[in-house]
């Protein structure tokens, strides 16, 4: 059973919230040695993933996490993006899911 609302983001910002102006495209960051821009995914106090301009991909990359370290009656997923003041990096998130057996 899918537990997230608007899990594929098809309904815009319904359920999810974002700081104004943070959703853009066309990655411009070119550095191959310094992580200027980062996206971190957390649940409770557990860091599930950290991505940066250094590990960009040409398509989607699936990430799967074991919920045993952050499970509870209520869990909020948090996607936190940080960019420097220069070139931007696009982090594309789609088709999220939290399921129960």
């Amino acid at each position: 059973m899918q537990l997230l609302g608007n899990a594929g983001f098809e309904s815009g910002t319904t359920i999810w919230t974002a700081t104004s102006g943070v959703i853009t495209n066309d990655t411009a960051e070119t550095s191959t040695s310094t992580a200027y821009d980062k996206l971190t995914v957390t649940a409770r106090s557990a860091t599930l993933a950290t991505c940066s301009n250094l590990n960009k991909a040409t398509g989607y990359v699936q990430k799967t996490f074991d919920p045993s370290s952050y499970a509870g009656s209520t869990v909020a997923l948090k996607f936190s993006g940080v960019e420097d003041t220069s070139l931007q990096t696009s982090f594309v998130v789609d088709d999220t899911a939290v399921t129960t057996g």
Side-chain angles (χ1 to χ4, degrees):
M1 180 169 112
Q2 167 62 276
L3 301 178
L4 294 179
N6 192 21
F9 303 99
E10 283 83 6
S11 299
T13 58
T14 304
I15 306 294
W16 299 95
T17 60
T19 305
S20 177
V22 299
I23 300 176
T24 61
N25 354 342
D26 307 317
T27 295
E29 194 63 69
T30 58
S31 175
T32 58
S33 60
T34 304
Y36 292 111
D37 307 326
K38 296 179 185 174
L39 176 73
T40 304
V41 182
T42 57
R44 296 191 186 254
S45 61
T47 298
L48 305 179
T50 300
C51 303
S52 76
N53 55 282
L54 297 180
N55 55 351
K56 60 186 172 187
T58 57
Y60 287 100
V61 176
Q62 182 174 349
K63 302 282 187 181
T64 305
F65 310 102
D66 178 1
S68 63
S69 64
Y70 55 90
S73 59
T74 302
V75 175
L77 293 179
K78 183 177 180 182
F79 298 84
S80 301
V82 177
E83 292 186 323
D84 66 352
T85 59
S86 183
L87 302 172
Q88 60 89 24
T89 299
S90 295
F91 297 103
V92 181
V93 178
D94 194 16
D95 294 331
T96 59
V98 173
T99 58
T100 61

